[in-house]
């Protein structure tokens, strides 16, 4: 009987130590590390600035593109589409993306494979891929997609202000 009491006391002591250790580890894991870092650096760029900059960069390499209409309200996505000679389209796109990095401050974006070029600048990411070879005699399609992070502040409508609340006089 005495042995059972000793075993219960040791088990209780071990359980208490394990509980204390679990609470200490949980407190360590749940400590406040402060705010999360921003998802991008620099001020957000307006949509029109990015579209005109990318259009001029592509034009400098001989790629003529037109802006396609945005798909919906409050979306943060733009597309430029055009055509180019199939023999030089890959070289022209690579040169345009290199020009964007060297002359306009764009940085290499996330790696999406060898057939996709990516750039990033502030809150925008630009991607373009190499399409399959078009049939003989037809120009190659060029599509450049531009997506921003956290919405485009220049196009989001401002919330209407509420009318001031006036106190109602108490009835007597």
């Amino acid at each position: 009987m005495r042995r059972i009491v000793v075993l219960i006391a040791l088990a209780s002591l071990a359980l208490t130590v394990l509980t204390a250790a679990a609470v200490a580890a949980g407190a360590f894991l749940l400590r406040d590390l402060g705010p999360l870092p921003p998802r991008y650096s620099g001020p957000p760029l307006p949509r029109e600035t990015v579209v005109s900059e990318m259009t001029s960069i592509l034009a400098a390499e001989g790629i003529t593109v037109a802006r396609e209409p945005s798909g919906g309200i409050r979306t943060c996505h733009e597309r430029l589409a055009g055509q180019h000679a199939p023999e030089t389209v890959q070289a022209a796109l690579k040169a345009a993306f290199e020009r964007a990095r060297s002359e306009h401050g764009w940085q290499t974006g996330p790696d999406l494979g060898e057939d996709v070029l990516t750039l990033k600048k502030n809150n925008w990411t630009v991607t373009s891929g190499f399409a399959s070879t078009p049939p003989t005699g037809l120009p190659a399609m060029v599509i450049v997609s531009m997506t921003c992070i956290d919405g485009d502040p220049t196009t989001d409508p401002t919330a209407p202000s509420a009318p001031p609340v006036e106190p109602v006089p108490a009835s007597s």
Side-chain angles (χ1 to χ4, degrees):
M1 183 69 155
R2 183 168 222 186
R3 194 178 281 183
I4 294 175
V5 171
V6 169
L7 286 175
I8 291 175
L10 286 176
S12 297
L13 181 63
L15 188 57
T16 304
V17 168
L18 286 174
T19 303
V23 168
F28 175 75
L29 293 175
L30 295 174
R31 71 190 184 281
D32 184 13
L33 298 176
L36 292 173
R39 292 171 38 159
Y40 58 90
S41 61
L45 294 174
R47 173 187 312 255
E48 297 302 321
T49 301
V50 174
V51 169
S52 66
E53 186 172 290
M54 288 309 299
T55 302
S56 68
I57 290 169
L58 292 165
E61 294 301 329
I63 302 172
T64 304
V65 291
R67 183 179 189 175
E68 292 186 348
S70 295
I73 299 172
R74 296 174 64 128
T75 61
C76 198
H77 181 78
E78 290 288 335
R79 276 178 46 150
L80 301 174
Q83 298 176 342
H84 193 71
E87 306 82 32
T88 59
V89 68
Q90 287 187 1
L93 271 173
K94 287 180 182 178
F97 274 59
E98 182 55 41
R99 178 184 298 267
R101 282 191 289 274
S102 64
E103 296 178 14
H104 296 274
W106 288 84
Q107 298 172 349
T108 302
D111 184 13
L112 301 177
E114 63 184 50
D115 290 340
V116 179
L117 300 171
T118 59
L119 295 171
K120 65 181 181 174
K121 183 176 182 181
N122 297 9
N123 59 325
W124 285 88
T125 301
V126 175
T127 59
S128 183
F130 301 124
S132 60
T133 307
T136 307
L138 293 177
M141 266 313 268
V142 175
I143 297 176
V144 177
S145 295
M146 298 169 284
T147 308
C148 72
I149 300 171
D150 296 334
D152 185 1
T154 61
T155 60
D156 288 343
T158 57
S161 59
V165 177
E166 296 181 22
V168 178
S171 58
S172 1

